[in-house]
Amino acid sequence: MRLKEKTVVITGGAKGIGAVAASLFGKNGAQIAIVDFDKKAGEEKAQQLHEKGIEAAFFQADVSNSENVREMAVKVIEQFGKVDILINNAGITRDAMLLKLDVDDFKRVIDVNLTGVFNCTQAFLPAMLAQGKGKIINTSSIAGTGGNIGQTNYSAAKAGIIGMTRTWAKEFGRKGINVNAVAPGFIETDMIETIPEKILEQIKTMTPYNRLGTPEDVANAYLFLASDESDFVNGTVLEVDGGMLK
Ligand SMILES: NC(=O)c1ccc[n+]([C@@H]2O[C@H](COP(=O)([O-])OP(=O)(O)OC[C@H]3O[C@@H](n4cnc5c(N)ncnc54)[C@H](O)[C@@H]3O)[C@@H](O)[C@H]2O)c1
């Protein structure tokens, strides 16, 4: 029970890595606020957690919409009374090589993946500051640390997340708030569905384990950064990529 009585907000918690993290955090004693714009999947996930005896609720919001996020944050705090941990996990891709990348797809990925992290952090930070303790975990990517072909927009957003993480670590560390990022490699979720099987096979050979990452691999990294065990870890980027050859 590493998160006993902690309230955790997980954006993009309806599916993929976020959904697996919600279950893991729940098993570790936390109350879970699932934030997602997919209402059906979010409600189903909250129901699934209830059936396992975990206190959870779904809050619909588009993280790119600041007004939406502010309203959602008020409802979360009304329901749970506090927020201890924020996992800024929601993200999308709209991949294309630079010359074919539509400006709307560039902007949408920045809006969701980068501005979304800004919006949610700004909305929940005051509650954490009032408590004098909090943990913020931002989901970056190896595309943010090293770039990736066909992902100009996504790499820019994920690199920007690292910049915000390090800035906030400095701004709020002395106020008891740890801010860290996780940079996953290729993880088996819907997000990588569009990558051809042949490429995935090549990607696997780039790790010593010859496999893709699982959502559990990333959720376990979130758990460490969310727990008191990481109290002296601040402003770091934890790579969960199986030691991919760069
Ligand atoms: N899967 C990978 O290989 C991989 C690698 C590196 C980083 N990541 C990052 O991990 C995070 C989780 O990815 P995943 O693989 O679980 O993806 P996923 O597509 O399986 O799940 C993403 C979730 O975010 C939600 N979401 C999307 N846009 C939203 C918005 N505007 N507002 C609220 N919710 C929104 C979706 O509805 C979905 O539930 C993302 O930030 C992603 O960029 C994933």
Side-chain angles (χ1 to χ4, degrees):
M1 288 285 183
R2 289 159 75 182
L3 300 178
K4 200 160 182 280
E5 283 160 20
K6 301 279 188 194
T7 299
V8 186
V9 176
I10 306 179
T11 72
K15 284 190 278 184
I17 295 167
V20 170
S23 298
L24 181 67
F25 280 39
K27 262 191 240 159
N28 277 276
Q31 293 113 44
I32 317 289
I34 293 164
V35 174
D36 208 291
F37 72 178
D38 185 335
K39 189 163 186 272
K40 187 168 175 284
E43 283 174 349
E44 277 170 15
K45 183 68 203 179
Q47 183 56 32
Q48 197 191 90
L49 295 175
H50 286 156
E51 283 163 14
K52 292 189 174 140
I54 295 165
E55 193 182 336
F58 169 65
F59 302 86
Q60 191 181 24
D62 175 348
V63 295
S64 71
N65 180 324
S66 58
E67 204 175 313
N68 227 217
V69 168
R70 271 197 299 273
E71 287 167 11
M72 170 276 290
V74 168
K75 288 185 197 154
V76 169
I77 290 165
E78 254 171 33
Q79 171 138 358
F80 292 105
K82 63 182 181 118
V83 174
D84 302 295
I85 297 149
L86 168 64
I87 318 275
N88 281 310
N89 163 85
I92 57 164
T93 52
R94 297 276 188 281
D95 296 351
M97 299 297 272
L98 177 62
L99 294 180
K100 292 191 172 158
L101 181 59
D102 188 274
V103 69
D104 289 337
D105 286 339
F106 181 81
K107 286 182 181 162
R108 185 64 189 150
V109 168
I110 298 290
D111 285 352
V112 174
N113 294 12
L114 186 64
T115 314
V117 174
F118 163 81
N119 287 337
C120 293
T121 304
Q122 216 176 37
F124 286 109
L125 187 68
M128 290 186 181
L129 289 173
Q131 284 164 209
K133 189 163 167 71
K135 302 264 185 180
I136 299 170
I137 296 143
N138 299 324
T139 310
S140 179
S141 164
I142 50 162
T145 54
N148 195 27
I149 292 171
Q151 292 198 309
T152 294
N153 47 3
Y154 186 78
S155 302
K158 295 300 189 181
I161 285 177
I162 294 173
M164 296 200 300
T165 300
R166 295 206 161 120
T167 297
W168 296 339
K170 288 181 176 155
E171 285 188 19
F172 306 112
R174 67 207 149 95
K175 303 198 167 156
I177 318 252
N178 302 57
V179 189
N180 291 292
V182 172
F186 288 85
I187 310 298
E188 286 176 294
T189 69
D190 291 354
M191 187 168 271
I192 63 164
E193 244 178 9
T194 52
I195 303 178
E197 198 50 47
K198 214 172 110 192
I199 308 281
L200 288 178
E201 286 309 313
Q202 280 171 12
I203 289 169
K204 285 184 197 169
T205 65
M206 291 166 78
T207 75
Y209 312 110
N210 198 29
R211 71 168 176 89
L212 299 172
T214 64
E216 287 76 9
D217 290 324
V218 182
N220 279 312
Y222 289 168
L223 179 62
F224 167 65
L225 292 173
S227 69
D228 291 344
E229 290 144 34
S230 65
D231 275 357
F232 202 57
V233 180
N234 193 26
T236 198
V237 181
L238 178 51
E239 294 182 335
V240 184
D241 63 359
M244 267 187 96
L245 309 170
K246 304 211 167 71

